[in-house]
Amino acid sequence: DAGVIQSPRHEVTEMGQEVTLRCKPISGHDYLFWYRQTMMRGLELLIYFNNNVPIDDSGMPEDRFSAKMPNASFSTLKIQPSEPRDSAVYFCAIDGRQGIRTGELFFGEGSRLTVL
Amino acid sequence: AQSVTQLGSHVSVSEGALVLLRCNYSSSVPPYLFWYVQYPNQGLQLLLKYTTGATLVKGINGFEAEFKKSETSFHLTKPSAHMSDAAEYFCAVSEGSGTYKYIFGTGTRLKVLA
């Protein structure tokens, strides 16, 4: 779905390196979510933003994780330093249009991260 | 706090047979309920949703689900499975008002046998 573009699609890095995942949603949506998907834990909500402001980051696993949304068309999820247990697929998703929730999350295709 | 339980991480059905994927939820407020489908190497797509009103909701590709408050369930069904239905299915819950948090179940992988 062209509504949410994530990059990179695949990243392989070594433990200790910094990783930055990017999300470019189409404009006009009020809410942006970052999820992490693993076989063991399924889909976990990491953080979500409303109008570029972080609302709930209780799902962010540790201080090594940080997320920003400088404007309505761009968000980043950063891991520093990365660890092997961070290996997962990270999804960005959007919802809400002009203050009205649609109940339909539009997902990007995900960024598959492998930390060696 | 909200939670979702999907019974059965793997389900196999024959082509043409009934598909039944089970989902139970927990929510302290009236919930919004959803089913999403994920194909390999893709993000999730909405199949159907319940917000308010009619408790039997129809979605894409012939799927439907019924909200049963007394049973706290939202099971997904399709009368006749097709090979193209093979995918992973996720049930999700969100509060009907207030927070926009969507909590997902652990998923059920559907296999369709020829």
Side-chain angles (χ1 to χ4, degrees):
Chain A
D1 180 50
V4 181
I5 299 173
Q6 292 187 246
S7 62
R9 290 295 313 279
H10 302 273
E11 171 123 0
V12 180
T13 190
E14 293 188 347
M15 182 173 63
Q17 296 298 306
E18 178 179 296
V19 173
T20 299
L21 307 178
R22 297 172 178 79
C23 175
K24 293 185 178 181
I26 59 174
S27 60
H29 284 79
D30 300 328
Y31 289 81
L32 183 141
F33 303 78
W34 281 99
Y35 284 90
R36 177 173 69 175
Q37 186 178 34
T38 61
M39 290 289 291
M40 294 298 294
R41 301 173 68 93
L43 264 168
E44 301 173 276
L45 175 63
L46 300 178
I47 185 172
Y48 74 98
F49 295 83
N50 178 21
N51 293 326
N52 314 332
V53 176
I55 301 302
D56 187 337
D57 65 355
S58 59
M60 297 285 262
E62 351 180 337
D63 292 345
R64 297 185 297 106
F65 285 69
S66 62
K68 294 182 179 179
M69 190 166 184
N71 59 64
S73 299
F74 187 65
S75 178
T76 60
L77 178 67
K78 185 177 292 187
I79 309 172
Q80 167 64 20
S82 59
E83 297 183 3
R85 59 188 167 134
D86 301 331
S87 298
V89 181
Y90 292 81
F91 286 102
C92 176
I94 55 177
D95 180 24
R97 195 185 296 270
Q98 296 179 341
I100 300 174
R101 70 183 307 177
T102 64
E104 179 169 1
L105 288 177
F106 289 95
F107 280 81
E109 293 190 316
S111 294
R112 182 176 296 275
L113 173 65
T114 302
V115 184
L116 303 175
Chain B
Q2 302 160 287
S3 66
V4 174
T5 301
Q6 290 185 241
L7 299 175
S9 58
H10 291 82
V11 170
S12 293
V13 300
S14 298
E15 192 173 20
L18 171 72
V19 175
L20 171 60
L21 305 183
R22 299 178 187 275
C23 172
N24 287 89
Y25 70 91
S26 172
S27 179
S28 57
V29 298
Y32 284 6
L33 295 161
F34 311 84
W35 276 99
Y36 283 81
V37 61
Q38 185 181 31
Y39 299 100
N41 299 314
Q42 295 186 22
L44 282 70
Q45 305 168 36
L46 182 69
L47 269 182
L48 48 80
K49 64 182 178 183
Y50 166 80
T51 53
T52 58
T55 56
L56 180 64
V57 293
K58 296 184 184 299
I60 61 173
N61 301 336
F63 284 93
E64 61 182 38
E66 186 170 12
F67 169 56
K68 292 187 176 181
K69 184 178 178 181
S70 61
E71 299 177 7
T72 61
S73 69
F74 191 59
H75 301 330
L76 181 71
T77 61
K78 181 174 180 178
S80 176
H82 191 273
M83 297 298 289
S84 61
D85 295 327
E88 189 151 19
Y89 293 80
F90 293 88
C91 183
V93 63
S94 181
E95 291 182 357
S97 60
T99 177
Y100 265 57
K101 290 176 75 167
Y102 293 83
I103 305 302
F104 285 82
T106 52
T108 298
R109 187 170 296 279
L110 177 66
K111 186 174 182 179
V112 181
L113 308 172

